[in-house]
Amino acid sequence: MNLLDSAPGTAVAPRPSHGEGGEVADTGDPDAARSPAELAHLVGESPAFVAVKQKLPLLARYEAPVLLTGESGTGKELCARALHYLSRRAGKPFLPVNCAAIPLELFERELFGHEKGSFTSAWTAQSGLIAEAEGGTLLLDEIETLSLPAQAKLLRFLDDSTYYPLGSPRPSRADVWILAATNVDLRLKVQERSFRADLYYRLAVMPLALPPLRERRGDVPLLVAHLSARHAHLTGGQSKRLSPRALVALGQYAWPGNLRELGNVIQQVLALSPGDLIEPEDLPIPSGTLAVPRPGTSLKQARAEAVAQFERTYLTELLRQHGDNVTQAARAARTERRTLGRLIKKHGLSKR
Ligand SMILES: Nc1ncnc2c1ncn2[C@@H]1O[C@H](COP(=O)(O)OP(=O)(O)O)[C@@H](O)[C@H]1O
Ligand SMILES: [Mg+2]
């Protein structure tokens, strides 16, 4: 059971046999009927998230490439799915592909397909993901992991909708809406020359930045209610609820894993906590990250806990941005490598 995955299906890499859109008939006026239902999957009323939700129908109508950015678990895939089902492509396949899950040397073949005899074991021709998504939408997740040759071919496809299946002298055409997602800063990859600048600009025609949960803390109670209702529905009713202090604690936690982490926490606590009323101490989030003072906590202790929580959030994010490269991270944080190393050790964040 997964509380969060209310939407049908998840990543189908490396080889999906078909998309999710299936044979849904086109009902004429796609915009009118579908919008509210698709957007209803997306829980959140905070300004940062409402801004995202408002853009979705517009992007879906426009169908330019969209680059979804945001930390892991912020809802990039969910929003990509919403974009597809809000668009006139809703009756055609939506294929989410995790680029990182496909070995580099196989990527082009997976994406573009191959001709019979194009490599030793190619007994038959095989169509690629682009062909399978015909008429629909392809989500290229973790796009930053694409090799430079694959980037060149994708760029070509974005330019004129044509591509060459491996071993084929003739170009093929496909009508596919390309969405890309990443949780790194692609512009840094462009600076490092591991990502083509021209492809970056081509993919990021329409950027869509998903806010991390800590920037939409106001949505936590709503999300908790949504997740609890779902849990009750799946398990056939429940009497457990979160105390106001527990809700405050959830609202103050840093959520490095964003909505995915929140989903796990709620699922665990609803399944495992002994009593009916869930208190902050019952929550499976690291103790000391609770900035809600327990009754009787001294100012000194509360402050130390808040600082520790801040340090952990800061470090986690810093290391993530710099791919765990401590030297780079120290430079960006304008501190000594040694100082940073000590903090990382203190919080047990090394070699994640
Ligand atoms: N606004 C939201 N409302 C409800 N569930 C959400 C929302 N955003 C994300 N989720 C859920 O959180 C989980 C992580 O979302 P996902 O789209 O996979 O994130 P990402 O692709 O950014 O890692 C999924 O199970 C998704 O259904
Ligand atoms: Mg994802």
Side-chain angles (χ1 to χ4, degrees), residues 253-327:
Y253 177 54
W255 298 114
N258 295 296
L259 280 96
R260 192 170 290 116
E261 186 182 10
L262 176 64
N264 292 345
V265 163
I266 296 302
Q267 184 163 344
Q268 283 172 36
V269 81
L270 290 180
L272 303 177
S273 76
D276 277 351
L277 188 65
I278 294 157
E279 293 291 352
E281 292 72 24
D282 302 323
L283 297 170
I285 49 184
S287 68
T289 58
L290 303 181
V292 212
R294 282 179 300 280
T297 312
S298 69
L299 172 64
K300 194 173 162 194
Q301 187 186 345
R303 184 183 288 142
E305 285 178 7
V307 169
Q309 171 183 349
F310 165 79
E311 284 177 355
R312 247 191 312 274
T313 312
Y314 182 94
L315 286 174
T316 306
E317 180 57 18
L318 184 72
L319 289 171
R320 190 189 64 76
Q321 277 174 9
H322 296 277
D324 289 328
N325 182 325
V326 179
T327 309

Side-chain angles (χ1 to χ4, degrees), residues 2-7 10 40-44 49 53 69-81 139 141 181-183 210 216 219 223 226-227 257-261 263:
N2 187 336
L3 289 188
L4 281 168
D5 286 327
S6 46
T10 38
H41 286 302
L42 302 170
V43 180
F49 193 63
K53 279 202 287 191
T69 60
E71 292 170 21
S72 166
T74 48
K76 297 183 295 296
E77 184 169 335
L78 197 67
C79 286
R81 205 176 287 276
L139 168 63
D141 201 356
T182 182
N183 60 7
L210 277 297
R216 41 180 289 217
D219 284 339
L223 286 160
H226 168 78
L227 294 166
N258 295 296
L259 280 96
R260 192 170 290 116
E261 186 182 10

Side-chain angles (χ1 to χ4, degrees), residues 7-227:
T10 38
V12 277
R15 173 154 294 286
S17 53
H18 54 77
E20 301 170 348
E23 258 57 76
V24 180
D26 197 339
T27 48
D29 180 11
D31 298 312
R34 225 156 5 219
S35 309
E38 275 318 314
L39 293 174
H41 286 302
L42 302 170
V43 180
E45 297 302 332
S46 63
F49 193 63
V50 168
V52 168
K53 279 202 287 191
Q54 283 172 344
K55 272 193 190 171
L56 295 174
L58 304 173
L59 293 170
R61 191 169 310 208
Y62 199 59
E63 286 193 10
V66 177
L67 178 65
L68 298 113
T69 60
E71 292 170 21
S72 166
T74 48
K76 297 183 295 296
E77 184 169 335
L78 197 67
C79 286
R81 205 176 287 276
L83 283 173
H84 170 76
Y85 287 104
L86 285 168
S87 79
R88 65 178 174 87
R89 297 174 179 266
K92 294 291 170 61
F94 171 73
L95 292 188
V97 181
N98 185 345
C99 300
I102 304 177
L104 278 188
E105 67 279 10
L106 294 186
F107 191 84
E108 287 174 49
R109 205 201 290 171
E110 287 293 331
L111 198 60
F112 302 112
H114 63 78
E115 286 289 294
K116 185 176 168 180
S118 55
F119 53 97
T120 333
S121 56
W123 306 117
T124 55
Q126 170 87 61
S127 63
L129 295 166
I130 283 193
E132 286 180 26
E134 173 62 35
T137 306
L138 198 61
L139 168 63
L140 298 173
D141 201 356
E142 305 202 43
I143 186 86
E144 76 282 1
T145 61
L146 278 196
S147 70
L148 287 164
Q151 289 177 30
K153 302 212 164 146
L154 180 61
L155 181 66
R156 170 176 186 130
F157 177 72
L158 286 168
D159 276 341
D160 60 7
S161 301
T162 65
Y163 62 97
Y164 287 84
L166 210 70
S168 167
R170 280 179 313 277
S172 298
R173 272 196 157 270
D175 166 30
V176 173
W177 186 19
I178 300 287
L179 308 177
T182 182
N183 60 7
V184 306
D185 186 346
L186 264 190
R187 284 163 305 187
L188 286 179
K189 298 282 161 193
V190 170
Q191 276 171 27
E192 290 168 3
R193 302 202 186 282
S194 62
F195 204 86
R196 293 178 66 119
D198 45 8
L199 180 59
Y200 170 75
Y201 289 111
R202 203 68 185 73
L203 290 172
V205 174
M206 295 288 160
L208 187 67
L210 277 297
L213 189 50
R214 64 181 171 282
E215 284 173 19
R216 41 180 289 217
R217 294 176 189 279
D219 284 339
V220 167
L222 214 57
L223 286 160
V224 170
H226 168 78
L227 294 166

